[in-house]
Amino acid sequence: MRFNEKELLCISKQPSEKAAELGMRGPKKGDVVKRRLVKLVINFLFYFRTDEEEPAGALLLEQCKVEQEEPMAFSVAFLDESEKKYLFECESSEQCQEWVESLTRASYEFMRRSLMFYRSEIHKLTGKDPLEQYGISEEALPGQLSKTL
Amino acid sequence: MKLHEKQFVRHASGHSPVDKEGFLGKKGEARPTYQRRWFSLRGNLLFYYEKRGDPGPLGVIVLEGCSVQLCESSAGDFAFAIVFQGPGLRTYKLTAEDQHEQESWVKALLSANFGYLQMLLLDLERIYQEVSGSSKPLVLGPAPGHALLGKEGRGYAAGQLQAPPPSGKSKKSPKLWPKRHAQVSPTSAETPPTVGVVAGVEEWSVVDDTPLEAFVILHSRYGREIEEVREEWRKKKEEGGGENNEPLLIDLG
């Protein structure tokens, strides 16, 4: 499958509030924990070998489940492959919880659902469509959103 | 850089909403010819297939950091382009079947990026908090004398969400959002005239809790600060040898 790699590399270099060196272990049997710089940008989780400028890889954070596994570790698994987990080891349980929260909210679909929720709640409370008030026409809404109300 | 193709195939194969799909002509990277491909937009990812109905996409274009432009059409092409700004970055040239489709695709692609969705979400979150919290007696609003931080500022309404959002928490997206500061004003107007409690507020960056949780956290921390300041004031008063017999400003018994 082709993808726009150069552009994705640019994305991986954007500043991010969520970037840290964590222990990371792949989902396959025999995978071991390796130190990686893990960085969340938009709905991608990039991981870099600690001395490299370009990411070794990226996980697309859609249709995935993020959960705390141990006090200081969390996992990322994908729908329909839930036994295959990427494991991430943190320095503290606080850090772990923060990552779980951040990654859970990182997907485009999660944000879209949140937007629909707020739009509908605001409409219930005020009788007005908040997006309309802000001059956003139906056509300017991300696809599925225009069918919410 | 390794991408895990399965993740994309899964995402493209029906679990998420399709924002738009249809046939477009796609110009090859090196070749000048256009190939007809089936395109499917889901969120900020534009998938394209060799043929409609193929199980796996031929490729994907991540729509971040790009602009979308209508193009001059030579042969009534209804052409438009996805342009990535930057050295060595690509421009994807596409053609639609008619003018309506051309405009429709351009609009869809313009609003497909993550940042746009984030901006909308930010706005709606703010409105929601204003609207749902306005009937509550205690409102944490901007501290007097402090300018609003504009779009980045946050006033938290102490109240409960009417209906819990799907995950039970507020939907802050942590990534590109600037650090948020709680702007808190004390409900009782007076505090002892020493170190401004308000000064301590600025360093707080309030976390992603529901308004009620945020209030509880703020309340206990604020309460501690008040206690400390009061303690200082009390000590100063003692050191002063009791020359001013002002009654306690706040008698906490």
Side-chain angles (χ1 to χ4, degrees), chain A residues 2 4-5 7 17 42-43 47 56 58 60 63 79 81 105 109-110 112 114 117 136 140 144, chain B residues 1-2 4 6-7 10-11 17 19 44 58-60 62 64 90 116 171 174-175 177 208:
Chain A
R2 301 178 207 154
N4 49 335
E5 182 162 9
E7 289 76 14
E17 278 186 20
I42 54 172
N43 50 345
Y47 50 95
L60 171 66
Q63 279 87 52
L79 191 78
E81 266 189 338
R105 299 173 188 180
E109 292 314 312
F110 185 93
R112 196 206 296 265
S114 307
F117 165 76
I136 297 176
Q144 289 293 308
Chain B
M1 175 174 59
K2 182 180 179 189
H4 305 262
K6 258 192 195 164
Q7 293 162 16
R10 177 188 305 113
H11 183 54
D19 292 304
N44 60 342
L58 192 57
V60 66
V62 179
E64 289 300 322
R90 196 170 154 183
Y116 179 71
K171 302 294 181 292
K175 292 164 297 303
W177 288 17
D208 322 344

mmCIF file of all heavy atoms in Angstrom, chain A residues 2 4-5 7 17 42-43 47 56 58 60 63 79 81 105 109-110 112 114 117 136 140 144, chain B residues 1-2 4 6-7 10-11 17 19 44 58-60 62 64 90 116 171 174-175 177 208:
data_model
loop_
_atom_site.group_PDB
_atom_site.id
_atom_site.type_symbol
_atom_site.label_atom_id
_atom_site.label_comp_id
_atom_site.label_asym_id
_atom_site.label_seq_id
_atom_site.Cartn_x
_atom_site.Cartn_y
_atom_site.Cartn_z
ATOM 1 N N ARG A 2 0.604 2.129 -0.927
ATOM 2 C CA ARG A 2 1.434 3.341 -0.984
ATOM 3 C C ARG A 2 0.916 4.364 0.009
ATOM 4 O O ARG A 2 -0.262 4.385 0.344
ATOM 5 C CB ARG A 2 1.357 3.944 -2.382
ATOM 6 C CG ARG A 2 1.813 2.995 -3.474
ATOM 7 C CD ARG A 2 1.650 3.667 -4.822
ATOM 8 N NE ARG A 2 1.452 2.689 -5.882
ATOM 9 C CZ ARG A 2 0.818 2.952 -7.021
ATOM 10 N NH1 ARG A 2 0.315 4.150 -7.247
ATOM 11 N NH2 ARG A 2 0.681 2.017 -7.936
ATOM 12 N N ASN A 4 1.877 8.652 1.470
ATOM 13 C CA ASN A 4 2.718 9.832 1.264
ATOM 14 C C ASN A 4 3.733 9.955 2.401
ATOM 15 O O ASN A 4 3.554 10.679 3.374
ATOM 16 C CB ASN A 4 1.883 11.110 1.100
ATOM 17 C CG ASN A 4 0.826 11.299 2.169
ATOM 18 O OD1 ASN A 4 0.352 10.342 2.786
ATOM 19 N ND2 ASN A 4 0.462 12.546 2.402
ATOM 20 N N GLU A 5 4.819 9.201 2.222
ATOM 21 C CA GLU A 5 5.798 9.060 3.299
ATOM 22 C C GLU A 5 6.468 10.372 3.678
ATOM 23 O O GLU A 5 6.585 10.685 4.860
ATOM 24 C CB GLU A 5 6.865 8.028 2.902
ATOM 25 C CG GLU A 5 7.880 7.806 4.007
ATOM 26 C CD GLU A 5 8.658 6.506 3.836
ATOM 27 O OE1 GLU A 5 8.528 5.876 2.772
ATOM 28 O OE2 GLU A 5 9.375 6.144 4.787
ATOM 29 N N GLU A 7 5.463 13.355 3.440
ATOM 30 C CA GLU A 7 4.540 14.233 4.153
ATOM 31 C C GLU A 7 4.307 13.727 5.569
ATOM 32 O O GLU A 7 4.222 14.506 6.521
ATOM 33 C CB GLU A 7 3.212 14.335 3.389
ATOM 34 C CG GLU A 7 3.300 15.141 2.088
ATOM 35 C CD GLU A 7 3.975 14.389 0.952
ATOM 36 O OE1 GLU A 7 4.149 13.146 1.056
ATOM 37 O OE2 GLU A 7 4.330 15.043 -0.051
ATOM 38 N N GLU A 17 2.594 17.642 22.473
ATOM 39 C CA GLU A 17 2.571 17.682 23.932
ATOM 40 C C GLU A 17 2.806 16.312 24.532
ATOM 41 O O GLU A 17 3.107 16.164 25.702
ATOM 42 C CB GLU A 17 1.216 18.213 24.418
ATOM 43 C CG GLU A 17 1.151 19.715 24.387
ATOM 44 C CD GLU A 17 -0.133 20.247 25.008
ATOM 45 O OE1 GLU A 17 -0.773 19.520 25.782
ATOM 46 O OE2 GLU A 17 -0.472 21.401 24.687
ATOM 47 N N ILE A 42 -1.381 14.207 15.838
ATOM 48 C CA ILE A 42 -2.739 13.967 15.313
ATOM 49 C C ILE A 42 -3.179 12.551 15.693
ATOM 50 O O ILE A 42 -3.139 12.193 16.859
ATOM 51 C CB ILE A 42 -2.877 14.286 13.798
ATOM 52 C CG1 ILE A 42 -1.830 13.543 12.944
ATOM 53 C CG2 ILE A 42 -2.715 15.773 13.569
ATOM 54 C CD1 ILE A 42 -2.076 13.702 11.417
ATOM 55 N N ASN A 43 -3.574 11.726 14.756
ATOM 56 C CA ASN A 43 -4.021 10.382 15.146
ATOM 57 C C ASN A 43 -2.989 9.313 14.811
ATOM 58 O O ASN A 43 -3.341 8.180 14.494
ATOM 59 C CB ASN A 43 -5.379 10.071 14.529
ATOM 60 C CG ASN A 43 -5.442 10.358 13.022
ATOM 61 O OD1 ASN A 43 -4.575 11.035 12.480
ATOM 62 N ND2 ASN A 43 -6.472 9.871 12.365
ATOM 63 N N TYR A 47 6.992 6.228 16.600
ATOM 64 C CA TYR A 47 8.016 5.762 17.530
ATOM 65 C C TYR A 47 9.385 5.834 16.849
ATOM 66 O O TYR A 47 9.547 5.431 15.701
ATOM 67 C CB TYR A 47 7.711 4.368 18.090
ATOM 68 C CG TYR A 47 7.355 3.306 17.067
ATOM 69 C CD1 TYR A 47 8.333 2.451 16.562
ATOM 70 C CD2 TYR A 47 6.041 3.139 16.635
ATOM 71 C CE1 TYR A 47 8.015 1.465 15.635
ATOM 72 C CE2 TYR A 47 5.719 2.158 15.715
ATOM 73 C CZ TYR A 47 6.699 1.325 15.211
ATOM 74 O OH TYR A 47 6.377 0.354 14.300
ATOM 75 N N ALA A 56 10.960 5.152 13.297
ATOM 76 C CA ALA A 56 11.072 3.772 12.815
ATOM 77 C C ALA A 56 9.722 3.336 12.261
ATOM 78 O O ALA A 56 9.642 2.569 11.307
ATOM 79 C CB ALA A 56 11.512 2.862 13.944
ATOM 80 N N ALA A 58 5.014 4.004 12.665
ATOM 81 C CA ALA A 58 3.873 4.735 13.207
ATOM 82 C C ALA A 58 2.673 3.813 13.326
ATOM 83 O O ALA A 58 2.476 2.918 12.495
ATOM 84 C CB ALA A 58 3.535 5.915 12.290
ATOM 85 N N LEU A 60 -1.461 3.813 13.448
ATOM 86 C CA LEU A 60 -2.650 4.623 13.172
ATOM 87 C C LEU A 60 -3.650 4.387 14.295
ATOM 88 O O LEU A 60 -4.121 3.270 14.505
ATOM 89 C CB LEU A 60 -3.270 4.217 11.828
ATOM 90 C CG LEU A 60 -4.648 4.838 11.516
ATOM 91 C CD1 LEU A 60 -4.537 6.339 11.329
ATOM 92 C CD2 LEU A 60 -5.249 4.182 10.265
ATOM 93 N N GLN A 63 -9.899 2.833 15.503
ATOM 94 C CA GLN A 63 -10.392 1.487 15.847
ATOM 95 C C GLN A 63 -9.398 0.742 16.728
ATOM 96 O O GLN A 63 -9.065 -0.416 16.470
ATOM 97 C CB GLN A 63 -10.654 0.634 14.583
ATOM 98 C CG GLN A 63 -11.980 0.925 13.938
ATOM 99 C CD GLN A 63 -11.850 2.066 12.964
ATOM 100 O OE1 GLN A 63 -10.984 2.034 12.109
ATOM 101 N NE2 GLN A 63 -12.715 3.067 13.111
ATOM 102 N N LEU A 79 -8.979 -3.316 16.904
ATOM 103 C CA LEU A 79 -10.244 -4.026 16.746
ATOM 104 C C LEU A 79 -10.003 -5.285 15.926
ATOM 105 O O LEU A 79 -9.297 -5.257 14.953
ATOM 106 C CB LEU A 79 -11.192 -3.101 15.987
ATOM 107 C CG LEU A 79 -12.653 -3.494 15.898
ATOM 108 C CD1 LEU A 79 -13.335 -3.168 17.206
ATOM 109 C CD2 LEU A 79 -13.318 -2.723 14.767
ATOM 110 N N GLU A 81 -8.213 -7.700 16.483
ATOM 111 C CA GLU A 81 -6.935 -8.377 16.734
ATOM 112 C C GLU A 81 -6.549 -8.114 18.168
ATOM 113 O O GLU A 81 -5.403 -7.757 18.475
ATOM 114 C CB GLU A 81 -5.853 -7.800 15.813
ATOM 115 C CG GLU A 81 -5.664 -8.580 14.536
ATOM 116 C CD GLU A 81 -4.435 -8.102 13.756
ATOM 117 O OE1 GLU A 81 -3.983 -6.943 13.974
ATOM 118 O OE2 GLU A 81 -3.935 -8.881 12.943
ATOM 119 N N ARG A 105 -8.251 9.520 23.323
ATOM 120 C CA ARG A 105 -8.943 10.647 22.711
ATOM 121 C C ARG A 105 -8.341 11.064 21.386
ATOM 122 O O ARG A 105 -8.786 12.030 20.787
ATOM 123 C CB ARG A 105 -8.889 11.852 23.640
ATOM 124 C CG ARG A 105 -9.548 11.599 24.940
ATOM 125 C CD ARG A 105 -9.291 12.762 25.844
ATOM 126 N NE ARG A 105 -9.740 12.487 27.180
ATOM 127 C CZ ARG A 105 -9.630 13.348 28.171
ATOM 128 N NH1 ARG A 105 -9.094 14.520 27.951
ATOM 129 N NH2 ARG A 105 -10.058 13.023 29.361
ATOM 130 N N GLU A 109 -12.105 9.612 14.859
ATOM 131 C CA GLU A 109 -13.486 9.190 15.118
ATOM 132 C C GLU A 109 -13.950 9.573 16.517
ATOM 133 O O GLU A 109 -15.123 9.909 16.715
ATOM 134 C CB GLU A 109 -13.636 7.687 14.877
ATOM 135 C CG GLU A 109 -13.495 7.311 13.409
ATOM 136 C CD GLU A 109 -14.297 8.212 12.480
ATOM 137 O OE1 GLU A 109 -15.497 8.439 12.768
ATOM 138 O OE2 GLU A 109 -13.729 8.727 11.505
ATOM 139 N N PHE A 110 -13.054 9.510 17.471
ATOM 140 C CA PHE A 110 -13.400 9.921 18.824
ATOM 141 C C PHE A 110 -13.749 11.408 18.838
ATOM 142 O O PHE A 110 -14.742 11.822 19.436
ATOM 143 C CB PHE A 110 -12.228 9.646 19.771
ATOM 144 C CG PHE A 110 -12.533 9.932 21.211
ATOM 145 C CD1 PHE A 110 -12.991 8.919 22.037
ATOM 146 C CD2 PHE A 110 -12.374 11.208 21.736
ATOM 147 C CE1 PHE A 110 -13.285 9.170 23.373
ATOM 148 C CE2 PHE A 110 -12.672 11.462 23.061
ATOM 149 C CZ PHE A 110 -13.127 10.447 23.881
ATOM 150 N N ARG A 112 -14.731 13.204 16.375
ATOM 151 C CA ARG A 112 -15.960 13.415 15.612
ATOM 152 C C ARG A 112 -17.165 13.121 16.488
ATOM 153 O O ARG A 112 -18.142 13.871 16.522
ATOM 154 C CB ARG A 112 -15.960 12.505 14.381
ATOM 155 C CG ARG A 112 -16.969 12.887 13.337
ATOM 156 C CD ARG A 112 -17.379 11.704 12.510
ATOM 157 N NE ARG A 112 -16.315 11.127 11.712
ATOM 158 C CZ ARG A 112 -16.099 11.449 10.436
ATOM 159 N NH1 ARG A 112 -16.817 12.383 9.854
ATOM 160 N NH2 ARG A 112 -15.147 10.838 9.753
ATOM 161 N N SER A 114 -17.305 13.231 19.723
ATOM 162 C CA SER A 114 -17.373 14.287 20.735
ATOM 163 C C SER A 114 -18.046 15.522 20.170
ATOM 164 O O SER A 114 -18.881 16.148 20.815
ATOM 165 C CB SER A 114 -15.978 14.683 21.199
ATOM 166 O OG SER A 114 -15.255 13.567 21.601
ATOM 167 N N PHE A 117 -21.669 14.970 19.910
ATOM 168 C CA PHE A 117 -22.279 15.030 21.236
ATOM 169 C C PHE A 117 -22.503 16.465 21.665
ATOM 170 O O PHE A 117 -23.592 16.855 22.071
ATOM 171 C CB PHE A 117 -21.383 14.308 22.257
ATOM 172 C CG PHE A 117 -21.731 14.624 23.690
ATOM 173 C CD1 PHE A 117 -22.840 14.062 24.288
ATOM 174 C CD2 PHE A 117 -20.962 15.516 24.429
ATOM 175 C CE1 PHE A 117 -23.185 14.362 25.598
ATOM 176 C CE2 PHE A 117 -21.294 15.821 25.748
ATOM 177 C CZ PHE A 117 -22.402 15.244 26.325
ATOM 178 N N ILE A 136 -21.048 28.134 9.876
ATOM 179 C CA ILE A 136 -20.536 26.979 9.151
ATOM 180 C C ILE A 136 -21.699 26.294 8.459
ATOM 181 O O ILE A 136 -22.632 25.847 9.090
ATOM 182 C CB ILE A 136 -19.841 25.993 10.109
ATOM 183 C CG1 ILE A 136 -18.642 26.678 10.749
ATOM 184 C CG2 ILE A 136 -19.397 24.743 9.371
ATOM 185 C CD1 ILE A 136 -17.958 25.810 11.786
ATOM 186 N N ALA A 140 -19.668 22.588 4.864
ATOM 187 C CA ALA A 140 -18.313 22.740 5.394
ATOM 188 C C ALA A 140 -18.035 21.771 6.519
ATOM 189 O O ALA A 140 -16.937 21.704 7.038
ATOM 190 C CB ALA A 140 -18.107 24.169 5.880
ATOM 191 N N GLN A 144 -19.864 13.145 7.785
ATOM 192 C CA GLN A 144 -20.949 12.542 8.537
ATOM 193 C C GLN A 144 -21.616 13.506 9.504
ATOM 194 O O GLN A 144 -22.739 13.290 9.937
ATOM 195 C CB GLN A 144 -20.412 11.338 9.339
ATOM 196 C CG GLN A 144 -20.063 10.179 8.445
ATOM 197 C CD GLN A 144 -21.272 9.580 7.785
ATOM 198 O OE1 GLN A 144 -22.242 9.251 8.441
ATOM 199 N NE2 GLN A 144 -21.246 9.450 6.477
ATOM 200 N N MET B 1 10.240 4.479 7.058
ATOM 201 C CA MET B 1 9.308 4.428 8.192
ATOM 202 C C MET B 1 8.250 3.365 7.922
ATOM 203 O O MET B 1 7.666 3.306 6.847
ATOM 204 C CB MET B 1 8.627 5.793 8.357
ATOM 205 C CG MET B 1 7.557 5.772 9.427
ATOM 206 S SD MET B 1 6.857 7.389 9.767
ATOM 207 C CE MET B 1 6.240 7.840 8.184
ATOM 208 N N LYS B 2 8.029 2.561 8.912
ATOM 209 C CA LYS B 2 7.107 1.443 8.701
ATOM 210 C C LYS B 2 5.674 1.818 9.076
ATOM 211 O O LYS B 2 5.401 2.303 10.176
ATOM 212 C CB LYS B 2 7.564 0.250 9.550
ATOM 213 C CG LYS B 2 6.692 -0.963 9.352
ATOM 214 C CD LYS B 2 7.139 -2.131 10.195
ATOM 215 C CE LYS B 2 6.202 -3.320 9.953
ATOM 216 N NZ LYS B 2 6.408 -4.408 10.845
ATOM 217 N N HIS B 4 1.809 0.116 9.369
ATOM 218 C CA HIS B 4 1.224 -1.211 9.481
ATOM 219 C C HIS B 4 -0.018 -1.250 8.622
ATOM 220 O O HIS B 4 -1.081 -0.753 9.000
ATOM 221 C CB HIS B 4 0.941 -1.504 10.948
ATOM 222 C CG HIS B 4 2.166 -1.343 11.802
ATOM 223 N ND1 HIS B 4 2.953 -2.407 12.179
ATOM 224 C CD2 HIS B 4 2.768 -0.244 12.300
ATOM 225 C CE1 HIS B 4 3.976 -1.955 12.897
ATOM 226 N NE2 HIS B 4 3.896 -0.665 12.987
ATOM 227 N N LYS B 6 -2.198 -3.290 7.780
ATOM 228 C CA LYS B 6 -3.454 -3.852 8.305
ATOM 229 C C LYS B 6 -4.306 -2.790 8.987
ATOM 230 O O LYS B 6 -5.533 -2.811 8.895
ATOM 231 C CB LYS B 6 -3.132 -4.939 9.338
ATOM 232 C CG LYS B 6 -3.286 -6.334 8.820
ATOM 233 C CD LYS B 6 -3.246 -7.332 9.974
ATOM 234 C CE LYS B 6 -3.033 -8.730 9.453
ATOM 235 N NZ LYS B 6 -2.626 -9.670 10.493
ATOM 236 N N GLN B 7 -3.643 -1.894 9.699
ATOM 237 C CA GLN B 7 -4.386 -0.861 10.427
ATOM 238 C C GLN B 7 -5.155 0.016 9.453
ATOM 239 O O GLN B 7 -6.287 0.412 9.713
ATOM 240 C CB GLN B 7 -3.422 0.009 11.247
ATOM 241 C CG GLN B 7 -2.773 -0.758 12.382
ATOM 242 C CD GLN B 7 -1.534 -0.058 12.898
ATOM 243 O OE1 GLN B 7 -1.306 1.114 12.633
ATOM 244 N NE2 GLN B 7 -0.714 -0.790 13.639
ATOM 245 N N ARG B 10 -8.014 -2.046 7.730
ATOM 246 C CA ARG B 10 -9.116 -2.186 8.671
ATOM 247 C C ARG B 10 -9.927 -0.894 8.731
ATOM 248 O O ARG B 10 -11.148 -0.896 8.664
ATOM 249 C CB ARG B 10 -8.583 -2.518 10.053
ATOM 250 C CG ARG B 10 -9.670 -2.610 11.130
ATOM 251 C CD ARG B 10 -9.060 -2.748 12.509
ATOM 252 N NE ARG B 10 -8.141 -3.869 12.584
ATOM 253 C CZ ARG B 10 -6.831 -3.776 12.753
ATOM 254 N NH1 ARG B 10 -6.270 -2.591 12.858
ATOM 255 N NH2 ARG B 10 -6.071 -4.841 12.813
ATOM 256 N N HIS B 11 -9.209 0.211 8.851
ATOM 257 C CA HIS B 11 -9.877 1.503 8.951
ATOM 258 C C HIS B 11 -10.680 1.787 7.685
ATOM 259 O O HIS B 11 -11.780 2.340 7.737
ATOM 260 C CB HIS B 11 -8.823 2.590 9.166
ATOM 261 C CG HIS B 11 -9.384 3.963 9.355
ATOM 262 N ND1 HIS B 11 -10.336 4.254 10.306
ATOM 263 C CD2 HIS B 11 -9.137 5.115 8.707
ATOM 264 C CE1 HIS B 11 -10.633 5.544 10.238
ATOM 265 N NE2 HIS B 11 -9.934 6.089 9.280
ATOM 266 N N PRO B 17 -17.048 5.907 9.405
ATOM 267 C CA PRO B 17 -17.902 6.522 8.393
ATOM 268 C C PRO B 17 -17.103 6.992 7.171
ATOM 269 O O PRO B 17 -15.960 7.425 7.290
ATOM 270 C CB PRO B 17 -18.521 7.730 9.091
ATOM 271 C CG PRO B 17 -17.933 7.807 10.422
ATOM 272 C CD PRO B 17 -17.033 6.660 10.659
ATOM 273 N N ASP B 19 -16.731 9.738 4.497
ATOM 274 C CA ASP B 19 -17.131 11.128 4.328
ATOM 275 C C ASP B 19 -17.480 11.438 2.884
ATOM 276 O O ASP B 19 -18.366 12.243 2.610
ATOM 277 C CB ASP B 19 -16.012 12.052 4.826
ATOM 278 C CG ASP B 19 -15.850 11.937 6.330
ATOM 279 O OD1 ASP B 19 -16.854 12.156 7.036
ATOM 280 O OD2 ASP B 19 -14.759 11.599 6.803
ATOM 281 N N ASN B 44 -9.296 12.032 8.143
ATOM 282 C CA ASN B 44 -8.189 12.751 7.508
ATOM 283 C C ASN B 44 -7.353 11.851 6.607
ATOM 284 O O ASN B 44 -6.187 12.137 6.321
ATOM 285 C CB ASN B 44 -7.306 13.421 8.574
ATOM 286 C CG ASN B 44 -6.701 12.420 9.562
ATOM 287 O OD1 ASN B 44 -7.169 11.289 9.681
ATOM 288 N ND2 ASN B 44 -5.663 12.830 10.270
ATOM 289 N N LEU B 58 -5.012 0.768 -2.886
ATOM 290 C CA LEU B 58 -3.743 0.879 -3.593
ATOM 291 C C LEU B 58 -2.832 1.814 -2.807
ATOM 292 O O LEU B 58 -1.622 1.610 -2.720
ATOM 293 C CB LEU B 58 -4.024 1.455 -4.990
ATOM 294 C CG LEU B 58 -2.931 1.409 -6.032
ATOM 295 C CD1 LEU B 58 -2.456 -0.023 -6.258
ATOM 296 C CD2 LEU B 58 -3.467 1.987 -7.349
ATOM 297 N N GLY B 59 -3.461 2.834 -2.234
ATOM 298 C CA GLY B 59 -2.661 3.777 -1.466
ATOM 299 C C GLY B 59 -3.523 4.660 -0.584
ATOM 300 O O GLY B 59 -4.763 4.602 -0.645
ATOM 301 N N VAL B 60 -2.844 5.462 0.225
ATOM 302 C CA VAL B 60 -3.534 6.390 1.109
ATOM 303 C C VAL B 60 -2.781 7.702 1.136
ATOM 304 O O VAL B 60 -1.552 7.739 1.030
ATOM 305 C CB VAL B 60 -3.660 5.805 2.529
ATOM 306 C CG1 VAL B 60 -2.289 5.644 3.198
ATOM 307 C CG2 VAL B 60 -4.548 6.681 3.403
ATOM 308 N N VAL B 62 -2.411 10.922 3.593
ATOM 309 C CA VAL B 62 -2.718 11.503 4.899
ATOM 310 C C VAL B 62 -2.881 13.003 4.695
ATOM 311 O O VAL B 62 -1.958 13.681 4.233
ATOM 312 C CB VAL B 62 -1.590 11.215 5.917
ATOM 313 C CG1 VAL B 62 -1.923 11.842 7.265
ATOM 314 C CG2 VAL B 62 -1.377 9.723 6.061
ATOM 315 N N GLU B 64 -2.773 16.044 6.059
ATOM 316 C CA GLU B 64 -2.357 17.018 7.064
ATOM 317 C C GLU B 64 -1.309 17.928 6.465
ATOM 318 O O GLU B 64 -0.389 17.473 5.805
ATOM 319 C CB GLU B 64 -1.763 16.326 8.294
ATOM 320 C CG GLU B 64 -2.780 15.609 9.138
ATOM 321 C CD GLU B 64 -3.866 16.505 9.704
ATOM 322 O OE1 GLU B 64 -3.563 17.650 10.093
ATOM 323 O OE2 GLU B 64 -5.027 16.057 9.760
ATOM 324 N N ARG B 90 4.840 16.666 -2.132
ATOM 325 C CA ARG B 90 4.154 16.363 -3.381
ATOM 326 C C ARG B 90 2.875 17.154 -3.586
ATOM 327 O O ARG B 90 2.252 17.643 -2.642
ATOM 328 C CB ARG B 90 3.814 14.871 -3.362
ATOM 329 C CG ARG B 90 3.464 14.418 -4.728
ATOM 330 C CD ARG B 90 3.333 12.972 -4.915
ATOM 331 N NE ARG B 90 2.423 12.783 -6.056
ATOM 332 C CZ ARG B 90 2.014 11.610 -6.490
ATOM 333 N NH1 ARG B 90 2.432 10.528 -5.873
ATOM 334 N NH2 ARG B 90 1.205 11.518 -7.502
ATOM 335 N N TYR B 116 -8.775 21.189 11.739
ATOM 336 C CA TYR B 116 -10.089 21.800 11.557
ATOM 337 C C TYR B 116 -11.083 21.206 12.550
ATOM 338 O O TYR B 116 -11.848 21.919 13.193
ATOM 339 C CB TYR B 116 -10.549 21.579 10.116
ATOM 340 C CG TYR B 116 -11.903 22.143 9.784
ATOM 341 C CD1 TYR B 116 -12.096 23.517 9.695
ATOM 342 C CD2 TYR B 116 -12.994 21.313 9.547
ATOM 343 C CE1 TYR B 116 -13.344 24.047 9.384
ATOM 344 C CE2 TYR B 116 -14.239 21.826 9.238
ATOM 345 C CZ TYR B 116 -14.411 23.200 9.145
ATOM 346 O OH TYR B 116 -15.634 23.709 8.839
ATOM 347 N N LYS B 171 -13.665 16.084 26.469
ATOM 348 C CA LYS B 171 -13.007 15.617 25.261
ATOM 349 C C LYS B 171 -11.798 16.424 24.844
ATOM 350 O O LYS B 171 -11.648 16.740 23.688
ATOM 351 C CB LYS B 171 -14.005 15.606 24.108
ATOM 352 C CG LYS B 171 -15.201 14.755 24.343
ATOM 353 C CD LYS B 171 -14.781 13.291 24.406
ATOM 354 C CE LYS B 171 -15.998 12.413 24.618
ATOM 355 N NZ LYS B 171 -16.579 12.616 25.936
ATOM 356 N N PRO B 174 -5.248 16.399 23.417
ATOM 357 C CA PRO B 174 -4.052 16.954 24.042
ATOM 358 C C PRO B 174 -2.989 17.460 23.085
ATOM 359 O O PRO B 174 -2.059 18.106 23.485
ATOM 360 C CB PRO B 174 -3.512 15.763 24.823
ATOM 361 C CG PRO B 174 -3.899 14.600 23.993
ATOM 362 C CD PRO B 174 -5.224 14.928 23.362
ATOM 363 N N LYS B 175 -3.129 17.161 21.843
ATOM 364 C CA LYS B 175 -1.947 17.302 21.006
ATOM 365 C C LYS B 175 -1.542 18.735 20.665
ATOM 366 O O LYS B 175 -0.593 19.261 21.179
ATOM 367 C CB LYS B 175 -2.117 16.489 19.742
ATOM 368 C CG LYS B 175 -2.120 15.003 20.017
ATOM 369 C CD LYS B 175 -2.654 14.214 18.865
ATOM 370 C CE LYS B 175 -4.096 14.537 18.571
ATOM 371 N NZ LYS B 175 -4.978 14.338 19.726
ATOM 372 N N TRP B 177 -3.221 21.414 21.111
ATOM 373 C CA TRP B 177 -3.877 22.472 21.871
ATOM 374 C C TRP B 177 -2.855 23.113 22.791
ATOM 375 O O TRP B 177 -2.062 22.433 23.417
ATOM 376 C CB TRP B 177 -5.025 21.909 22.704
ATOM 377 C CG TRP B 177 -6.178 21.516 21.887
ATOM 378 C CD1 TRP B 177 -6.211 21.307 20.550
ATOM 379 C CD2 TRP B 177 -7.500 21.271 22.357
ATOM 380 N NE1 TRP B 177 -7.463 20.938 20.176
ATOM 381 C CE2 TRP B 177 -8.273 20.909 21.240
ATOM 382 C CE3 TRP B 177 -8.108 21.322 23.616
ATOM 383 C CZ2 TRP B 177 -9.615 20.607 21.345
ATOM 384 C CZ3 TRP B 177 -9.442 21.018 23.723
ATOM 385 C CH2 TRP B 177 -10.189 20.673 22.594
ATOM 386 N N ASP B 208 -7.651 17.527 32.149
ATOM 387 C CA ASP B 208 -8.758 17.158 31.300
ATOM 388 C C ASP B 208 -9.905 16.530 32.048
ATOM 389 O O ASP B 208 -10.417 15.508 31.646
ATOM 390 C CB ASP B 208 -8.295 16.138 30.249
ATOM 391 C CG ASP B 208 -6.909 16.458 29.753
ATOM 392 O OD1 ASP B 208 -6.458 17.585 29.982
ATOM 393 O OD2 ASP B 208 -6.306 15.570 29.156
#
